[in-house]
């Protein structure tokens, strides 16, 4: 029997509940397809509150070590307090493991209420840069030594009379931009996608987002033969216009490539277009390691976490099985999940009048395998 090692992190809030449901589906699908000749060996790693209780650390080195060794993982959401407290563990994981592309395929599932007129035409894959931009975590509080030094420099250079300001840095680099765009080009070729749109605010931030646009075109030019051979169109759109386009004409877009902050906003807006972040999956991919995760957070607003929707996590697993070249497993899960939702079996966010729990939803998906 072939054993496939995968690291998992339960996550905070609804994390353990959606993980329990999703894992039932993943294990059953692997069993169904391989009939005992392949099995997943789930290796638990800790992060967030569970880790703090167990190890006294929110993100222990042991977790990073396991992910570096095994190279494939899947996680639930992790809480990040706003303003004070620790920095985002999600951002730390992406940076420490150099998971430089956050990939979010946004596609409609029939049966789900969506705000757009023709949600069935939405089929967008967002490539968001995951390690730099204003999310690099380089910022200083007002009155800190560093902030005061930067303010003095800015006042001197630009005569702007700045006082008592917090300072953040927005690094955007050639190497990290180009490797993201190259990953998007390779994805387009592999998945027969025909258009890549670079989304940026280069009109305002000329040397950061402007260069993001320039470097994306440069790497596209370096791979012109590949792009022409596969008839891939490359264009660019200013980020604020892209938000409008996403709301009004999402069907015109295929792959979007964008810096970190734009990508964060755009991903959630795109997810909302097809019915919410409880549904859309995600993956954080580097050259060596891949860590898949749902697009939603810990959902503190959900009173009964057993009723949370595990779809986003289950579909993140579908992306993971595709990454592991286990296409039969991903198709089986995706088709069966769609069948369930279409027939009206779903959690409270989708079927408020007649909901099933996350675990019941998982059981129904498994019943529908064929
Ligand atoms: P959230 O995604 O947790 O919730 C936003 C809305 O979506 C809420 O109404 C919630 O009830 C609903 N929702 C989310 N997931 C759902 C699901 N599976 N089923 C049904 N409904 C669902 O966003 P938030 O409330 O802004 O964030 C809560 C916490 O999660 C914060 O600490 C935040 O930092 C963290 N967070 C973590 C990640 C991650 O781990 N990658 C991502 C986003 C937010």
């Amino acid at each position: 029997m072939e054993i496939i090692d995968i690291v998992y992190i339960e996550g905070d809030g609804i994390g353990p509940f959606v993980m329990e449901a999703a894992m039932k589906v993943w294990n059953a699908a692997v069993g169904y397809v391989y009939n005992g000749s392949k099995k997943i060996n789930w290796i638990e790693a800790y992060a967030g509150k569970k880790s703090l209780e167990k190890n006294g650390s929110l993100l222990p080195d042991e977790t990073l070590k396991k992910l570096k060794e095994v190279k494939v993982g899947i996680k639930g959401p992790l809480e990040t307090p706003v303003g004070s407290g620790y920095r985002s563990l999600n951002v730390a994981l992406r940076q420490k493991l150099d998971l430089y592309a956050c990939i979010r395929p946004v596609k409609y599932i029939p049966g789900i209420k969506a705000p757009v007129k023709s949600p069935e035409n939405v089929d967008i894959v967002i490539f968001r840069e995951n390690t730099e931009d204003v999310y690099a975590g380089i910022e200083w509080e007002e009155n800190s030594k560093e902030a005061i030094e930067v303010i003095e420099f800015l006042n001197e250079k630009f005569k702007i009379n700045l006082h008592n300001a917090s300072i953040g840095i927005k690094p955007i680099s050639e190497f990290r931009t180009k490797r993201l765009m190259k990953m998007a080009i390779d994805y387009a070729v592999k998945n027969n996608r025909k258009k890549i749109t670079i989304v940026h605010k280069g009109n305002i931030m000329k040397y950061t987002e402007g260069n993001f646009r320039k470097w994306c075109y440069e790497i596209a030019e370096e791979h012109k033969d590949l792009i022409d051979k596969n008839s891939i169109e490359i264009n660019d759109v200013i980020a604020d216009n892209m938000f409008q386009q996403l709301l009004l004409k999402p069907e015109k877009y295929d792959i979007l490539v964008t810096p970190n902050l734009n990508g964060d906003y755009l991903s959630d807006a795109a997810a909302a277009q097809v019915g919410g972040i409880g549904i859309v999956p995600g993956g954080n991919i580097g050259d060596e390691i891949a860590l898949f995760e749902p697009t939603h957070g810990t959902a503190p607003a959900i009173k009964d976490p057993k009723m949370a929707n595990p779809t986003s996590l289950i579909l993140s697993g579908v992306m993971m099985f595709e990454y592991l070249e286990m296409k039969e497993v991903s198709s089986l899960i995706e088709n069966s999940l769609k069948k369930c939702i279409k027939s009206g079996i779903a959690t409270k966010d989708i079927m408020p009048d007649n909901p099933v729990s996350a675990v019941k939803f998982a059981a129904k998906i498994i019943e529908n395998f064929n």
Side-chain angles (χ1 to χ4, degrees):
M1 180 194 286
E2 190 187 341
I3 306 283
I4 299 151
D5 288 341
I6 299 177
V7 172
Y8 75 99
I9 299 170
E10 272 190 347
D12 301 324
I14 60 169
F17 299 90
V18 287
M19 188 62 83
E20 183 194 354
M23 223 175 243
K24 285 185 195 296
V25 174
W26 300 329
N27 283 332
V30 171
Y32 188 94
V33 170
Y34 297 107
N35 201 15
S37 66
K38 264 189 201 182
K39 193 175 177 281
I40 309 288
N41 174 35
W42 296 104
I43 300 165
E44 182 161 16
Y46 300 99
K49 285 190 173 156
K50 189 170 178 183
S51 175
L52 192 63
E53 281 157 22
K54 235 181 144 47
N55 308 305
S57 158
L58 286 159
L59 183 56
D61 287 345
E62 183 62 20
T63 293
L64 298 170
K65 196 167 152 248
K66 277 183 186 163
L67 283 161
K68 281 179 189 164
E69 268 167 25
V70 175
K71 302 198 182 319
V72 180
I74 191 151
K75 65 176 273 294
L78 294 168
E79 186 184 314
T80 310
V82 178
S84 59
Y86 51 91
R87 282 192 184 280
S88 167
L89 299 174
N90 301 301
V91 174
L93 275 164
R94 293 165 193 167
Q95 286 178 348
K96 284 181 195 274
L97 299 172
D98 201 22
L99 306 171
Y100 61 84
C102 175
I103 305 180
R104 293 205 179 161
V106 181
K107 203 171 173 186
Y108 178 64
I109 299 177
I112 292 179
K113 270 204 194 114
V116 270
K117 274 194 214 121
S118 313
E120 59 284 359
N121 296 334
V122 181
D123 184 4
I124 297 173
V125 183
I126 300 176
F127 278 71
R128 160 187 169 196
E129 205 292 326
N130 229 357
T131 62
E132 48 184 11
D133 197 354
V134 284
Y135 285 18
I138 310 168
E139 55 175 7
W140 299 287
E141 269 184 292
E142 83 280 14
N143 296 325
S144 64
K145 180 174 154 285
E146 292 84 355
I148 290 167
E149 275 174 19
V150 176
I151 288 167
E152 276 170 10
F153 167 76
L154 295 174
N155 282 341
E156 172 72 22
K157 182 149 175 92
F158 299 104
K159 313 281 178 243
I160 50 176
N161 200 18
L162 197 61
H163 292 289
N164 203 34
S166 301
I167 299 288
I169 302 283
K170 178 183 173 76
I172 298 233
S173 65
E174 177 176 358
F175 169 70
R176 290 178 183 203
T177 301
K178 285 188 169 173
R179 67 180 179 173
L180 176 77
M181 181 66 176
K182 177 62 172 51
M183 195 189 270
I185 294 169
D186 290 341
Y187 181 95
V189 170
K190 193 167 174 204
N191 294 283
N192 200 25
R193 298 238 167 202
K194 297 298 171 203
K195 187 171 167 185
I196 300 178
T197 303
I198 305 154
V199 185
H200 61 92
K201 277 295 284 182
N203 53 333
I204 308 291
M205 292 171 269
K206 297 199 185 297
Y207 301 130
T208 50
E209 303 228 354
N211 280 357
F212 181 89
R213 172 185 177 276
K214 182 183 88 174
W215 290 323
C216 283
Y217 275 120
E218 275 178 15
I219 192 85
E221 187 58 32
E222 278 173 40
H223 297 277
K224 194 175 177 339
D225 289 352
L226 187 63
I227 286 167
D228 289 349
K229 193 170 142 214
N230 290 280
S231 313
I232 299 168
E233 180 194 342
I234 312 273
N235 72 343
D236 73 281
V237 172
I238 305 267
D240 43 340
N241 182 17
M242 188 65 230
F243 270 94
Q244 269 197 67
Q245 300 283 320
L246 204 56
L247 300 180
L248 300 172
K249 296 175 191 153
E251 68 283 356
K252 273 181 58 187
Y253 296 89
D254 189 340
I255 290 180
L256 308 181
V257 178
T258 190
N260 208 334
L261 180 65
N262 297 338
D264 197 3
Y265 295 160
L266 279 169
S267 304
D268 278 15
Q273 288 292 67
V274 296
I277 49 179
I279 294 153
V280 173
N284 301 292
I285 317 287
D287 288 331
E288 295 281 319
I289 305 166
L291 181 60
F292 297 84
E293 64 174 340
T295 46
H296 57 76
T298 56
I302 297 183
K303 287 202 187 72
D304 182 358
K306 288 195 214 69
M307 301 306 279
N309 190 351
T311 299
S312 176
L313 182 59
I314 293 172
L315 292 179
S316 302
V318 164
M319 285 178 76
M320 178 180 72
F321 287 119
E322 267 166 25
Y323 178 87
L324 290 167
E325 314 248 318
M326 293 162 77
K327 184 79 189 118
E328 264 184 88
V329 175
S330 12
S331 305
L332 179 72
I333 298 172
E334 196 175 355
N335 293 338
S336 180
L337 182 142
K338 283 182 179 161
K339 235 187 276 169
C340 274
I341 292 181
K342 203 168 180 188
S343 68
I345 299 160
T347 45
K348 202 172 170 189
D349 51 324
I350 298 175
M351 287 284 154
D353 299 331
N354 189 20
V356 293
S357 69
V359 167
K360 186 86 203 255
F361 180 57
K364 288 286 175 191
I365 295 174
I366 296 165
E367 261 175 53
N368 269 300
F369 281 169
N370 63 43

